[in-house]
Amino acid sequence: MVLYIEGSDQDQQAARTLLQEHGFTVSLSRGEVPVATELVETTEEDLPLAFLAHFIDGIVIMNVETAGVLYANNAFAEMLGYSLEEVRRQKVWDWDVVWSREEIEHMYATRKWLGERFETRFRRKGGQMLDVAVTHKPVTWKGKEVLFCVVRDISEGKQTERVLHLTQFTVENTDDQAFWMSPEGRFLYVNEAACTALDYSREELEGMPIWEIDPNVTADKAVDYWRQLKEEGSMRFESLHRAKDGRIYPVEVRGNYVNYDGQEYSCVFVTDISKRKQEEQALRLNQFAVDNTAEQAFWITPEGQITYANNAACASLGYCREELVGMSLPDIDPDFSGEDVVESWISLKKDKVRRFERCHKAKDGRLYPVEVRSNYVNYDGREFRFAFVIDISERKAAEEALWRREEQYRQLMEMLPIAAYTTDAEGRITFFNRRAQEFWQREPRLGSDLWCGSHMLRYLDGPPMDHDQCPMALTLKTGQACQGKEIIVEHPDGTRSNVIVYPELLADTAGETEGAVNLLVDITERRQTEEALRESEHKYRTIVEHAPFGITRSTREGELLNANPAFASILGYDSVQELLESVNLSNIQDALFPEPSTRAPLVENILSSDSWYVFNNLFYCKDGSLVTCRVHSRRIMNGDGRADEFESFIENITDQLEAMRALRESEEKFRVLAETSSVPITIYQEDRFVYVNPAMEQLLGYSAEELYRMKFWEWAQGEVREQIRNNGLERLSGKTVSGQYEISYLTKGGEQRCVLISAGVMEYQGLPTGVASLLDITERKRSEELLRASLAEKEVLLQEIHHRVKNNLQVVSSLLFLQAQRFSDPELQACFLESQSRICSMALAHEQLYQSKNLSEISIKKYMENLVGQLEKSFQSPKQEVDCRLVVENVPLDIEKVVPCGLLVTELLSNAYKHAFADGCSGQVTVSLQSENGQIELKVVDDGIGLPAEFDHRQAKTLGLQLVSALVNQLGGALEVETVNGTCFRVNFAG
């Protein structure tokens, strides 16, 4: 295509150069332009732009100063999806997504362009991305420096280029081996996975024929393979490959016929299927194992339908496989409902694995226990329960037998007269008997406390012993029983006991250690006896001889080999020697057993038992009487492993049995006493009466049969009923409740009565039981009401007396005032005023008493406030400014001490006003009364002129100070006078 551009200026020359670089022929002429019908008339200045507007490629002219658009053709606007007007309002960074605005501004400012041609990415108006190639050149246009750019859309080429790169990258990096082969069977290309699998380099493999790595292929077979591949287009089969080191492994081959650019190829992908072959073999083995395992196996749907059952399941349930498949869980588990199927499936999906016991029903109706191990399985998008089932009938029977043996063993341990306990293999205590808890003085935590339950252990010479060094711990750690060792146990209360320990390992049926048992023989008393007799000839006697219970060693035939003094004492013999000689003249059964034939079965039980054998037995005493003993016997193995002898611990329980008989008699006596008692007595358990005596029936007006049908609170009414109910139930639950309380109630006949209930709690027949007695206090209550009424009358009378005394004292005070008015002598008037003040202080005490609720005590604080207030008004002259302060604790005092205190304050305060602040002086007076440790301190302190140095209150001649001394003596107190910075009178007396 030839374009003609008129003009000869610089703009046309620049456009010509740029267009020629893009393959266009440009001619610049001053002559006439050939006439053409398509030519659009335009001015000479706009002619180049009119030409550029018809370019297929985008043309844009950029302002170098602003990075804005000076001109863009339609192709550029359409490329970006904008109108020409929108493009001319934009900047470069509005569509270029590779370069930031800052980078573009820097590029335009420094004129450091990227090169005449570069590739970048533009964003279209709709957000799509374009790959573009930009050719640009700085030129001068219309007198301005501009950037003339030609923009070409290369998105399609870039996409194709990316796909090719991606394809090559995928083939090169796939885990499968990839080969390009010629029709002759030679490798033209191999990927990295093929080189790695065959252990050849790429150079070694390329050019190599296929039959060198595939032992199943020959040159002839390669020709056949090519012919078949061309016909079918693709092939898939399994074969073998041989690596460079000779290793042969199975592969899956996927071949494809390719005709590219007229050339024929075989594109082959190869997968090493060694692992898959192994897994397939394992799957076949697993299926065989599941089919033939001794455990029952089932595949079950979430809805509970059996989809598979193995041979063991068919044999156990008595169905053939065809019968079982399709059955539901409730068909073989009669206790398993449809709701259980749903709930169990939800739980299995959450937990993934569940283990539980059920009962299965066979085809013949037989029920048998099973243990089920159910597993959640999601296989190929489908969910299943996969369950193994074991018939545990024999195990259940064994567990039941084991439980019975353990229960017998536990009872035996509880009956032992000595402390005994067991641990697991790690030393955690699993059981202890009552004697052990009593001995330890504490209750160990089962499954937590280690080695033993003692508070503290010590070696015989005194140092502390760590619990993990005790004989029980050493037995479990070393596997060797540390029996017969003596240690010291220190109890929580600080006392100590000497014990001999007998730890013994416990083994399971496989011979593995599962724990240990330990017997603690408290030899504290024995050791104390040994210490007392250490310097005597019995220094070396054995522990057995000093045991508090009988200990013997005997033979199967009835020979008494030895016995301790306790056993001799039980039978009334003077010594062990006398006992042995007497018995062994014949044998044990003839000498000691009332029925000699009963010994042989007992001996057989002892010698055949692996543990202690406990029984009660009657023995003849020396004097022919009988004693009942509890006997704990254990066989003794000899060196040959045979048991011909046994040892016994023998406890005389004759007195204990007698005590039990006496207890029964006592209970009977209590019943007779309760039945004949005039005090109503009742016993209740839970919410019911279990016993009421006749006095209770008489008090409440109900018969015993009626009360037994009631709850123990229903005989009362209203709030009292709730009170009895709450107190009774809380007492039974162990809470602390008042043991006595009074109530008012109506009898069955409607009579109002009052009773005092005394209640307690005890244990009776294994249950907490309430015991209550009711005392009829109706008459006492009536007497108390009469007494309270009488007391109220007396209190009113006493208040009236105090009122009258107060009025009389006020009359006397008024008479003194009137009398003083008749005298003109100030000194005489002052005497009358002082007497008047003393009488007022006494009257004020009586006034406060009759106004008080307590007629025996007065609030000294309120009394002092009123008294000092009156004295201020009486003694302070207009010329004086005396600040009188009061600091008084609210101490209750009786009238016998209030009146002297008031008179003391009156005298001392009047002296302060008259003498401490004479001639109209001003100052401060403080009256205080404090109580501490039962002693009361009364102080009157002034900061006046003080007393003369030679002043002695004990030698005072004035009436006021003599009265002060007399009042102090009346209070039984002591007076102190201080004259530092004024005067302080301090009186101390008992409160």
Side-chain angles (χ1 to χ4, degrees), residues 212-242:
E212 289 192 14
I213 67 166
D214 191 333
N216 293 331
V217 178
T218 63
D220 294 336
K221 287 184 178 180
V223 174
D224 295 336
Y225 162 77
W226 174 252
R227 185 183 302 110
Q228 184 179 354
L229 181 62
K230 284 190 66 174
E231 292 175 357
E232 297 180 4
S234 64
M235 295 175 60
R236 187 186 189 107
F237 56 90
E238 292 183 4
S239 188
L240 298 174
H241 273 189
R242 179 172 51 233

Side-chain angles (χ1 to χ4, degrees), residues 662-673:
L663 178 61
R664 287 192 295 270
E665 291 180 356
S666 176
E667 289 179 349
E668 184 60 29
K669 291 176 182 177
F670 167 77
R671 180 173 293 276
V672 172
L673 179 63

Side-chain angles (χ1 to χ4, degrees), residues 98-156:
V98 174
W99 304 94
S100 67
R101 175 174 178 171
E102 290 77 12
E103 291 172 329
I104 294 172
E105 288 178 340
H106 177 74
M107 194 183 303
Y108 273 67
T110 60
R111 308 298 194 271
K112 292 182 179 180
W113 313 110
L114 295 173
E116 291 187 0
R117 189 179 188 281
F118 63 91
E119 293 180 359
T120 185
R121 303 197 82 192
F122 282 0
R123 181 190 297 109
R124 287 172 53 83
K125 182 178 181 180
Q128 304 92 340
M129 296 298 173
L130 293 176
D131 289 291
V132 295
V134 181
T135 304
H136 65 114
K137 196 175 196 68
V139 298
T140 302
W141 184 55
K142 294 183 180 182
K144 297 181 181 179
E145 184 181 2
V146 299
L147 198 62
F148 188 88
C149 304
V150 178
V151 181
R152 179 173 296 165
D153 184 354
I154 59 172
S155 299
E156 185 175 348

Side-chain angles (χ1 to χ4, degrees), residues 196-367:
T196 302
L198 295 167
D199 202 21
Y200 288 101
S201 67
R202 183 168 291 170
E203 291 75 14
E204 290 175 314
L205 280 173
E206 290 178 352
M208 183 183 293
I210 179 63
W211 49 84
E212 289 192 14
I213 67 166
D214 191 333
N216 293 331
V217 178
T218 63
D220 294 336
K221 287 184 178 180
V223 174
D224 295 336
Y225 162 77
W226 174 252
R227 185 183 302 110
Q228 184 179 354
L229 181 62
K230 284 190 66 174
E231 292 175 357
E232 297 180 4
S234 64
M235 295 175 60
R236 187 186 189 107
F237 56 90
E238 292 183 4
S239 188
L240 298 174
H241 273 189
R242 179 172 51 233
K244 186 177 182 180
D245 59 4
R247 175 177 52 88
I248 295 177
Y249 59 93
V251 294
E252 180 185 75
V253 181
R254 301 179 301 283
N256 301 274
Y257 170 76
V258 177
N259 189 318
Y260 178 71
D261 198 20
Q263 296 290 324
E264 294 179 312
Y265 302 94
S266 173
C267 179
V268 180
F269 289 95
V270 176
T271 303
D272 184 347
I273 59 173
S274 303
K275 185 176 181 181
R276 190 177 79 192
K277 287 293 185 180
Q278 294 171 357
E279 290 175 349
E280 289 175 354
Q281 179 66 16
L283 284 173
R284 286 192 292 270
L285 289 173
N286 287 340
Q287 185 60 44
F288 180 82
V290 171
D291 284 340
N292 295 280
T293 183
E295 295 184 2
Q296 305 170 46
F298 298 87
W299 284 93
I300 306 168
T301 66
E303 296 76 22
Q305 185 177 22
I306 299 171
T307 60
Y308 166 81
N310 70 349
N311 298 331
C314 296
S316 296
L317 292 167
Y319 292 99
C320 66
R321 182 169 288 134
E322 290 73 16
E323 290 175 314
L324 273 176
V325 172
M327 293 176 69
S328 65
L329 284 177
D331 292 335
I332 64 171
D333 189 338
D335 295 330
F336 210 65
S337 65
E339 291 79 5
D340 294 333
V341 171
V342 176
E343 292 177 3
S344 66
W345 174 247
I346 294 172
S347 300
L348 182 60
K349 284 194 68 173
K350 177 183 177 183
D351 301 335
K352 305 306 180 187
V353 178
R354 296 191 67 217
R355 188 185 187 119
F356 50 90
E357 293 184 1
R358 302 292 301 175
C359 187
H360 276 187
K361 182 178 181 180
K363 185 176 182 179
D364 59 6
R366 175 177 53 90
L367 294 174

Side-chain angles (χ1 to χ4, degrees), residues 68 95 269 295 307 317 384 449 491 494 530 604 661 736 760 890:
W95 59 74
F269 289 95
E295 295 184 2
T307 60
L317 292 167
F384 295 94
D449 285 0
H491 301 294
E530 287 178 354
E604 288 304 318
R661 184 190 61 78
T736 302
N890 194 14

Side-chain angles (χ1 to χ4, degrees), residues 570-689:
I570 290 171
L571 299 183
Y573 287 90
D574 298 329
S575 66
V576 173
Q577 187 64 31
E578 181 185 8
L579 172 64
L580 293 175
E581 291 176 356
S582 175
V583 171
N584 290 330
L585 285 174
S586 55
N587 51 50
I588 295 174
Q589 52 267 35
D590 292 334
L592 300 180
F593 276 64
E595 293 291 335
S597 61
T598 60
R599 182 177 181 271
L602 291 174
V603 171
E604 288 304 318
N605 289 335
I606 295 170
L607 296 180
S608 61
S609 176
D610 293 332
S611 57
W612 291 93
Y613 184 73
V614 183
F615 56 95
N616 289 349
N617 197 53
L618 286 171
F619 291 105
Y620 274 126
C621 294
K622 178 182 177 180
D623 59 4
S625 61
L626 290 171
V627 292
T628 304
C629 296
R630 180 167 292 136
V631 183
H632 303 258
S633 298
R634 182 179 64 175
R635 68 185 181 185
I636 301 173
M637 309 298 290
N638 59 21
D640 298 332
R642 293 185 295 104
D644 293 323
E645 299 177 1
F646 59 92
E647 60 183 354
S648 301
F649 292 88
I650 302 170
E651 180 183 5
N652 187 354
I653 61 171
T654 305
D655 294 339
Q656 180 181 343
L657 295 177
E658 180 63 26
M660 292 174 65
R661 184 190 61 78
L663 178 61
R664 287 192 295 270
E665 291 180 356
S666 176
E667 289 179 349
E668 184 60 29
K669 291 176 182 177
F670 167 77
R671 180 173 293 276
V672 172
L673 179 63
E675 290 290 332
T676 58
S677 173
S678 61
V679 177
I681 299 172
T682 182
I683 298 174
Y684 60 92
Q685 286 180 336
E686 295 180 345
D687 60 352
R688 295 290 177 177
F689 289 110

